[in-house]
Amino acid sequence: MRIGFLGVTVGLGGCLVLDPLLPFHNNIPCSEVNDETCNTDEYWDRVCLTCEEPYDWDRAYEWRAKTIKDGATIRGIDPNLVSDVPFESTDGEAVLDAHFISAHGDVPELSQTTILYNNGRFASIEHYLPRIQLLHELGANLYVWDYRGYGKSLPETAPESIDWMDDARKAFEQAKLMAPDPNKIIVYGMSIGGFPAGEIADTKPVCAQIFEASIVSISEKVEENTSVMLPGSFLTSGVLETDIKLADTKNPTLILHGSNDYAISPASALSFYDKLPNTIFKKFVLIEGAGHGLGDGGVPEAGFLDYQNELMTFLGEGAPNCLTE
């Protein structure tokens, strides 16, 4: 017998599954975009584009001074480089909004590389367009997608964990079809994007994996916030335990984290790093003064040139197969 209450499933065997109760998602379907979401005082959190409006790929942002210090420039994305490639979920219950952005061509070693970017928990692709512009500036091709309930993805309800992971695997297959070289796909997870990124890295062939300000362990997060030590199987279904999934990974790994991350502690990121095999190339970079996301000045916002250098150094030293000679 099982008794369900507010998404908590309790079995006679003593298994309490908390996945559905944890606040993973803070999505905004495009149908809910209105004056309130658009006129917020927080510049980096404005969500203004309705379902009928295309994303403003080449928007000129008011970058923080420290982001573009030392004369760096961030180009807008030429809309002609963007292909809209929505896909249907395996279960037929969802249509996910996705876009492939071709490389601008100024960085030959990344011209065949594709970064599969997994957003954080807030709003939609619109919120992450500044991050997408920064990644585009690096010179790689990009594949970006919205989870169920985010932006233009349907249905308008956030996904259950098992469906989320299945959608992530499908997103990889779609990205593989678009990538100029399917053997040069880097999976990138930002914040809760670490969950789908981890699923992809565990089940699909990627040339490298990057985690930025990522949450990768529900059990550790709950223990950190409550000081309650409980077995992982008591807390979660295991579907979202990225640190366990990647305990035997063979992928080169870069972990980027801000010293002032209010949401996911640097200690948690370092714990993830320690759990990764010592047989792979792995690198942990703590960015002094960086916060968690766009609003508080996260890792890329702390200095784009430093961010660019860290990614290119990682690829050159640890993941040369991701690059074109």
Side-chain angles (χ1 to χ4, degrees):
M1 181 180 72
R2 291 187 179 275
I3 302 172
F5 177 68
L6 293 179
V8 180
T9 303
V10 181
L12 292 179
C15 179
L16 174 65
V17 180
L18 298 184
D19 291 12
L21 282 184
L22 298 175
F24 299 132
H25 302 289
N26 187 19
N27 52 301
I28 300 179
C30 59
S31 63
E32 296 180 7
V33 170
N34 53 42
D35 289 343
E36 183 176 348
T37 65
C38 185
N39 295 325
T40 174
D41 292 335
E42 300 297 328
Y43 176 77
W44 297 103
D45 289 346
R46 295 173 187 168
V47 182
C48 301
L49 297 176
T50 63
C51 299
E52 294 75 26
E53 296 176 284
Y55 287 122
D56 193 5
W57 300 104
D58 56 357
R59 175 180 169 181
Y61 288 96
E62 299 173 13
W63 301 105
R64 295 174 174 87
K66 61 183 180 180
T67 303
I68 57 170
K69 62 184 178 180
D70 301 324
T73 58
I74 310 299
R75 75 190 77 194
I77 299 171
D78 182 349
N80 292 319
L81 295 177
V82 182
S83 299
D84 301 335
V85 287
F87 65 92
E88 184 176 326
S89 62
T90 303
D91 62 11
E93 298 296 323
V95 177
L96 290 309
D97 188 41
H99 307 268
F100 185 85
I101 305 168
S102 297
H104 51 63
D106 292 347
V107 185
E109 58 265 43
L110 288 174
S111 62
Q112 301 298 302
T113 306
T114 298
I115 297 175
L116 198 171
Y117 186 66
N118 298 273
N119 292 338
R121 67 187 288 265
F122 179 65
S124 65
I125 285 173
E126 182 183 355
H127 174 69
Y128 293 97
L129 277 177
R131 292 295 184 84
I132 295 169
Q133 281 194 6
L134 293 176
L135 288 170
H136 177 68
E137 184 66 31
L138 291 176
N141 304 276
L142 300 176
Y143 181 93
V144 299
W145 67 296
D146 259 339
Y147 318 132
R148 301 186 193 200
Y150 286 70
K152 299 178 183 182
S153 288
L154 297 172
E156 294 188 347
T157 53
E160 297 291 338
S161 298
I162 192 168
D163 296 327
W164 191 15
M165 297 303 100
D166 189 66
D167 294 344
R169 296 191 297 272
K170 186 69 176 287
F172 174 87
E173 295 301 328
Q174 296 297 106
K176 187 177 178 180
L177 292 175
M178 300 294 298
D181 186 337
N183 296 314
K184 297 184 185 302
I185 296 179
I186 300 168
V187 63
Y188 192 122
M190 186 269 164
S191 190
I192 67 159
F195 290 135
E199 177 68 16
I200 292 168
D202 181 44
T203 61
K204 302 295 181 179
V206 299
C207 63
Q209 54 200 21
I210 300 175
F211 296 91
E212 177 208 324
S214 290
I215 175 173
V216 296
S217 172
I218 301 172
S219 305
E220 188 167 298
K221 180 64 176 171
V222 171
E223 291 172 5
E224 184 177 85
N225 286 5
T226 64
S227 299
V228 174
M229 298 284 292
L230 291 171
S233 60
F234 189 78
L235 291 172
T236 82
S237 64
V239 173
L240 302 180
E241 296 292 348
T242 300
D243 56 341
I244 296 175
K245 291 179 183 179
L246 299 183
D248 59 353
T249 185
K250 295 179 173 60
N251 301 321
T253 307
L254 174 63
I255 300 173
L256 301 164
H257 216 86
S259 64
N260 295 346
D261 192 323
Y262 69 93
I264 311 298
S265 73
S268 175
L270 187 57
S271 174
F272 175 44
Y273 172 84
D274 289 338
K275 291 176 183 177
L276 293 170
N278 291 324
T279 53
I280 65 169
F281 183 93
K282 59 179 182 177
K283 187 174 184 180
F284 174 81
V285 180
L286 185 68
I287 309 298
E288 288 298 329
H292 182 73
L294 280 72
D296 65 341
V299 169
E301 291 80 20
F304 174 71
L305 286 182
D306 291 339
Y307 173 72
Q308 183 181 43
N309 289 336
E310 289 293 354
L311 265 63
M312 293 304 295
T313 299
F314 161 70
L315 294 175
E317 295 179 351
N321 289 339
C322 293
L323 302 174
T324 300
E325 295 183 1

